[in-house]
Amino acid sequence: MENKGEINFYWDKVGNRLRNLDKTEVKNIIADYYTNKIKVKDIITKYHLNILSSQLIKEFPPIVVDKKCPYDNEKMIVNLHSRDGLGLSGEPYCPICGHQNSQYCRCENCLEEEKKYLENLRNKVRDTYLVPKEKVKIEELTLRDKLLLAAVLKTGLNEETTKIIGSKLAEGKLSPLADMSKDILSNLVSKAIILVDPESSLDAFTDENFPETYYIYKVDYLLNVTSENDNHDQLIGMLEYPKSEEFYLEPKISLGFWKELALAECIEFLNYRMKAVGFNFNPGKKTNLVLNNLLNNFSIGQIWRLIYISVAYAVQWQTEEKVPKKRAANSVITGLESRGQRAIAEDWNLRNFGRNYNLPESMLARTLYDGILKIGNEGITEIPSIKLIGRGKSSER
């Protein structure tokens, strides 16, 4: 410790073993330790101290520094470091309340300030989301609403059936595509079928535009649907398990749901295969057009096979002909389209691919194929068709 003028010690915190000595003697001990570099055991002998060598430094009084505590207006202090240390020991702190000028300070005053700050944030969230909204009557839900809500409830409903947990939605697989899952939640929120829970974790809301902007899988959601008898358990049952008959009565709409989901399942597999071989790919309108046309003639499982073949041929072409990877990637959709047309023209006997182990069934698929349409695995092994909706209801595909 360098001598840079008179050092102001905080004598109230001198150690008990040095407390009976006068201040001059304590200063001499400190000088012998830091300036004169006398061995600790020799200092103990010289001043007849009853103390272990390792404890001496802990008996020294702290130094008063030129910083004041914002709560007590008291000058702050800092403990002395060992002779081999590189600086003062730790952050300056208030001798009264223990406050440190650090974001990590846990003194009572800082904890109280943090509590007030968090309460203020919570009140802002509540003011934004604890707004009474008229409940949506179950009779007002469209078939799409019922399908999407059922999948959301199956994925994220808590054990008490009181709220939809965002983290459960993130851990589960709501739909085949991330954008599709986001759209499902956005759609239900925009129609006030589900509401952001005002008691969601504060971390769920972004700093920018707080609290209007939030992370969709960090907030929790509250159900905002009501039924005539107002029995919560019955309501949850009706919403989580929609009646198939309602969907059978609208076969064209139900077929639309199937094809929409089938398209997403095909895109999911296409993205997976392209990434597996190192192709950069972003499906757009052309891809959707090709896949939708294939879905008029093939099942999802058959299209998965066509995708696998098309990607494999593109990789072979890139490897053997040394074509740029981007060009090879762009050839996949063209190859998929031409192979699909040839398969139709030549009546290929295309076997179905099974569901890939790395691409488990989404809750939306399980809800639609198993729970509502009751077609099970035929959802991916059969061509999307009205004739399978309702099992035997007369209608053309």
Side-chain angles (χ1 to χ4, degrees):
M1 183 175 68
E2 296 182 10
N3 187 0
K4 295 182 178 180
E6 185 66 24
I7 296 175
N8 187 9
F9 291 103
Y10 191 80
W11 293 105
D12 288 349
K13 284 189 175 291
V14 67
N16 291 331
R17 292 180 177 86
L18 301 183
R19 194 174 294 277
N20 293 329
L21 304 178
D22 61 46
K23 293 180 180 179
T24 300
E25 199 168 11
V26 174
K27 288 181 180 179
N28 290 337
I29 292 174
I30 293 173
D32 281 348
Y33 180 81
Y34 287 107
T35 306
N36 301 326
K37 308 293 185 182
I38 296 177
K39 293 181 179 179
V40 174
K41 66 178 182 178
D42 292 337
I43 293 175
I44 292 173
T45 300
K46 178 180 177 180
Y47 294 95
H48 309 289
L49 302 176
N50 182 22
I51 189 173
L52 296 174
S53 297
S54 60
Q55 296 296 311
L56 179 62
I57 181 66
K58 296 179 181 180
E59 298 293 309
F60 292 165
I63 293 176
V64 179
V65 297
D66 193 23
K67 293 180 181 179
K68 286 190 175 182
C69 174
Y71 301 112
D72 302 308
N73 202 34
E74 182 80 8
K75 279 195 172 183
M76 303 181 82
I77 60 176
V78 64
N79 295 330
L80 288 168
H81 61 83
S82 69
R83 190 156 52 193
D84 299 326
L86 300 176
L88 295 175
S89 179
E91 291 284 336
Y93 61 94
C94 174
I96 296 177
C97 70
H99 171 72
Q100 294 180 328
N101 290 331
S102 165
Q103 62 177 322
Y104 304 110
C105 179
R106 308 306 290 170
C107 73
E108 288 187 8
N109 288 313
C110 282
L111 289 174
E112 184 61 28
E113 286 293 314
E114 181 183 40
K115 181 180 177 182
K116 291 178 181 178
Y117 173 73
L118 294 177
E119 284 178 352
N120 181 52
L121 293 182
R122 174 61 65 197
N123 288 333
K124 287 183 178 180
V125 173
R126 287 170 178 160
D127 289 343
T128 302
Y129 296 102
L130 197 58
V131 179
K133 289 195 176 183
E134 186 177 352
K135 287 186 176 291
V136 179
K137 295 178 181 178
I138 192 170
E139 297 81 11
E140 297 173 351
L141 296 178
T142 66
L143 290 181
R144 175 177 288 275
D145 295 337
K146 292 180 179 181
L147 169 61
L148 302 185
L149 183 57
V152 167
L153 291 174
K154 288 176 185 292
T155 308
L157 191 64
N158 67 351
E159 191 64 28
E160 297 75 25
T161 70
T162 55
K163 63 177 66 177
I164 299 158
I165 308 300
S167 59
K168 289 188 69 175
L169 292 173
E171 293 166 3
K173 184 178 179 182
L174 180 57
S175 79
L177 303 172
D179 286 346
M180 189 177 197
S181 296
K182 180 180 178 181
D183 288 343
I184 288 172
L185 293 173
S186 297
N187 181 274
L188 294 175
V189 170
S190 68
K191 299 179 75 170
I193 295 171
I194 60 174
L195 306 175
V196 172
D197 181 5
E199 302 305 317
S200 296
S201 169
L202 292 175
D203 293 337
F205 303 92
T206 63
D207 293 334
E208 186 176 351
N209 198 29
F210 181 94
E212 283 79 10
T213 307
Y214 56 86
Y215 299 101
I216 62 172
Y217 294 125
K218 287 187 177 182
V219 295
D220 296 329
Y221 301 90
L222 301 176
L223 185 65
N224 193 45
V225 179
T226 186
S227 60
E228 284 186 2
N229 62 12
D230 203 28
N231 183 301
H232 177 76
D233 291 341
Q234 287 184 11
L235 175 64
I236 293 295
M238 289 188 290
L239 293 175
E240 192 165 343
Y241 305 100
K243 292 182 179 179
S244 299
E245 290 73 20
E246 296 181 80
F247 290 80
Y248 295 161
L249 291 173
E250 298 287 351
K252 289 185 179 180
I253 293 177
S254 297
L255 178 61
F257 296 153
W258 186 357
K259 285 192 171 183
E260 185 179 345
L261 179 56
L263 175 64
E265 298 225 70
C266 291
I267 291 175
E268 178 189 35
F269 184 77
L270 176 61
N271 287 336
Y272 172 77
R273 287 307 307 157
M274 295 291 261
K275 183 177 180 180
V277 300
F279 284 168
N280 290 324
F281 179 71
N282 185 25
K285 291 182 179 179
K286 173 65 175 178
T287 300
N288 290 351
L289 184 65
V290 170
L291 290 174
N292 274 322
N293 183 63
L294 290 176
L295 285 167
N296 291 325
N297 298 278
F298 300 103
S299 68
I300 297 170
Q302 289 174 316
I303 295 174
W304 285 344
R305 180 174 291 278
L306 288 172
I307 289 171
Y308 188 92
I309 294 170
S310 298
V311 173
Y313 268 97
V315 171
Q316 183 180 4
W317 184 46
Q318 185 238 335
T319 303
E320 294 180 356
E321 303 298 328
K322 309 300 181 185
V323 300
K325 184 170 285 190
K326 183 177 180 180
R327 186 180 173 192
N330 290 336
S331 73
V332 171
I333 299 304
T334 302
L336 180 61
E337 183 178 35
S338 62
R339 286 184 186 85
Q341 290 176 339
R342 183 174 299 173
I344 296 170
E346 298 178 359
D347 195 24
W348 288 4
N349 182 23
L350 274 176
R351 289 183 293 111
N352 281 288
F353 255 24
R355 192 175 290 281
N356 189 284
Y357 177 80
N358 295 311
L359 302 175
E361 184 179 33
S362 69
M363 190 58 73
L364 184 62
R366 195 176 304 169
T367 300
L368 183 63
Y369 299 153
D370 298 346
I372 293 175
L373 300 185
K374 302 193 184 306
I375 56 176
N377 198 51
E378 288 180 322
I380 62 172
T381 62
E382 297 293 328
I383 302 170
S385 167
I386 281 180
K387 71 181 181 181
L388 289 178
I389 297 174
R391 289 290 174 183
K393 290 188 177 292
S394 58
S395 186
E396 293 183 0
R397 188 169 66 204

